[in-house]
Amino acid sequence: MKIIAYGIRDDEKPYLDKWSDENPDVEVISTSQLLDESTVELASGADGVVAYQQKPYTNEVLDKLGSFGIKFLSLRNVGFDNVDAEAAKRNGIKVSNVPAYSPEAIAELTVTQLMRLLRKTNIFDRKQINGDLTWAPDIADELNQMTVGVIATGRIGRAVIKIYEGFGAKVIAYDVFHNPELEKRGIYVDTLDELFAKSDVISLHAPATKDNEHMLNAETFAKMKDGVYVLNPARGSLIDTDALIKALDSNKVGGAAVDVYEDEVGIFNTDFGSFENIPDERLKNLMKRENVLVTPHIAFYTKRAVKNMVYFAMDANKSLIETGESDKLVDL
Ligand code: COI
């Protein structure tokens, strides 16, 4: 059996090599290149493909994999919004993901960034570089006094709720699917509008779907409390960036931490050499603000998560090739 793994980074390589040693029945080929029209030929002769990338898995690429008789594509991440679902189905390609490589990794960064915003540590960091060790005017808010509205209570949403509650915050949540445990505890509100109206912090943990694009927009920001904090470690498309910038300008939003950005592909995880060279003015507008924390999609980036992404995706691909089945198949 032969599996080709695309887009393998240096930090993933040791885990892939270890998996390969532990699975001598599998011939593993790997490349640092992403899976696109120019690299798809490398998959010819393989039984399965493992990949991670944010750029689209296009119609052309999936048609080509189909023409090689490849039926299994295993993603090393959670989100599969960049897979052309129609093309995958047409070619009979089953897609798996890694739904839980470490929900805690995402949850921990989310709350870290919220605490940095609330305690204004980035502002104190900047002040002290200039020898300014004063306090005012950067007085903080306390999380234990706040209501946090969590949007989507999948694995990541539930992991983050645990941490918020550990800090003593009141948590309310919205999801179309109710987790029985949270339901029993009366955490859910009936509508997003109710969550917007009651929350001091909005914590986004929803996958990107065609229905929730720009769920935070001018209209929904207007329904929130003045000075609300907004956290997005989920998907850039959930927030209308122009509306966020206006809401920050008017102080409707008091602070924001975004680990994702709607135009991040090709920008995040790239070294531009200087701030000026970053080719995105809206992103730079956000990055320049003291009450906005931008991170380049690093919430997942922990040793445990990276190892699990490689191992779980390779295991899923092998199982699909052997049996046609995996508990990690996604519903495209
Ligand atoms: C995902 O798993 O879908 C993520 O967003 C993390 C990715 C950047 C590896």
Side-chain angles (χ1 to χ4, degrees):
M1 168 193 324
K2 184 163 150 183
I3 298 177
I4 177 159
Y6 280 92
I8 292 291
R9 303 182 306 270
D10 288 349
D11 52 82
E12 294 178 298
K13 191 81 174 77
Y15 300 122
L16 184 64
D17 289 345
K18 191 155 185 289
W19 188 92
S20 182
D21 289 346
E22 291 166 9
N23 291 270
D25 51 330
V26 183
E27 184 188 347
V28 179
I29 317 275
S30 76
T31 170
S32 60
Q33 301 184 82
L34 302 179
L35 175 56
D36 63 19
E37 293 73 13
S38 68
T39 60
V40 66
E41 291 291 338
L42 296 172
S44 171
D47 302 293
V49 172
V50 167
Y52 162 67
Q53 62 194 41
Q54 285 178 285
K55 70 191 282 192
Y57 299 97
T58 62
N59 183 42
E60 291 73 22
V61 164
L62 294 164
D63 277 353
K64 205 65 188 203
L65 292 180
S67 77
F68 297 152
I70 293 174
K71 295 280 169 242
F72 311 113
L73 170 62
S74 297
L75 310 181
R76 301 197 291 283
N77 62 308
V78 187
F80 48 92
D81 42 296
N82 55 343
V83 176
D84 184 326
E86 286 319 307
K89 284 187 209 155
R90 193 178 58 246
N91 285 289
I93 296 177
K94 290 185 177 176
V95 177
S96 67
N97 70 347
V98 183
Y101 43 79
S102 175
E104 294 77 15
I106 320 290
E108 287 182 9
L109 184 79
T110 310
V111 182
T112 300
Q113 296 299 74
L114 174 61
M115 292 313 294
R116 290 183 66 211
L117 283 174
L118 296 182
R119 302 310 302 253
K120 302 176 193 274
T121 54
N122 64 321
I123 297 176
F124 284 103
D125 287 348
R126 286 187 205 187
K127 274 165 60 166
Q128 72 187 33
I129 289 172
N130 298 318
D132 181 353
L133 297 176
T134 59
W135 303 339
D138 299 306
I139 194 160
D141 288 312
E142 293 182 34
L143 179 52
N144 67 78
Q145 302 294 303
M146 300 179 122
T147 297
V148 182
V150 171
I151 298 183
T153 54
R155 292 180 180 84
I156 297 171
R158 296 201 299 279
V160 84
I161 287 173
K162 252 197 216 165
I163 308 181
Y164 289 137
E165 291 185 333
F167 273 91
K170 176 177 165 59
V171 175
I172 57 175
Y174 177 83
D175 201 322
V176 271
F177 305 105
H178 284 194
N179 171 269
E181 207 46 49
L182 297 179
E183 172 90 62
K184 254 192 259 157
R185 291 173 41 207
I187 274 189
Y188 289 105
V189 291
D190 294 331
T191 63
L192 270 175
D193 281 1
E194 189 180 344
L195 182 135
F196 292 145
K198 289 185 171 160
S199 301
D200 302 300
V201 177
I202 311 261
S203 199
L204 291 172
H205 303 287
T209 68
K210 56 181 180 339
D211 301 324
N212 66 16
E213 187 174 357
H214 289 180
M215 76 187 302
L216 300 198
N217 55 43
E219 205 183 309
T220 51
F221 282 128
K223 294 175 179 168
M224 296 176 195
K225 288 190 180 181
D226 290 341
V228 64
Y229 291 90
V230 171
L231 310 173
N232 188 8
R235 280 293 178 267
S237 63
L238 298 176
I239 298 185
D240 175 345
T241 307
D242 292 327
L244 173 63
I245 288 174
K246 284 200 185 116
L248 285 160
D249 284 342
S250 68
N251 296 323
K252 173 51 118 179
V253 170
V258 294
D259 187 50
V260 289
Y261 166 59
E262 54 184 326
D263 296 328
E264 72 181 61
V265 178
I267 294 187
F268 283 178
N269 203 13
T270 304
D271 184 356
F272 293 100
S274 74
F275 181 80
E276 287 64 41
N277 287 346
I278 298 172
D280 189 306
E281 292 310 314
R282 289 197 309 177
L283 182 63
K284 287 200 282 197
N285 177 316
L286 291 175
M287 291 170 79
K288 277 191 222 155
R289 293 171 190 259
E290 285 189 328
N291 59 346
V292 177
L293 302 175
V294 175
T295 43
H297 211 138
I298 55 159
F300 84 99
Y301 197 52
T302 68
K303 292 170 190 154
R304 172 188 174 217
V306 169
K307 176 181 181 204
N308 286 343
M309 289 162 114
V310 170
Y311 264 69
F312 295 169
M314 293 299 291
D315 286 343
N317 206 252
K318 182 179 177 186
S319 159
L320 283 168
I321 295 166
E322 280 175 345
T323 67
E325 289 305 325
S326 159
D327 58 357
K328 297 191 173 50
L329 277 181
V330 301
D331 195 7
L332 285 171

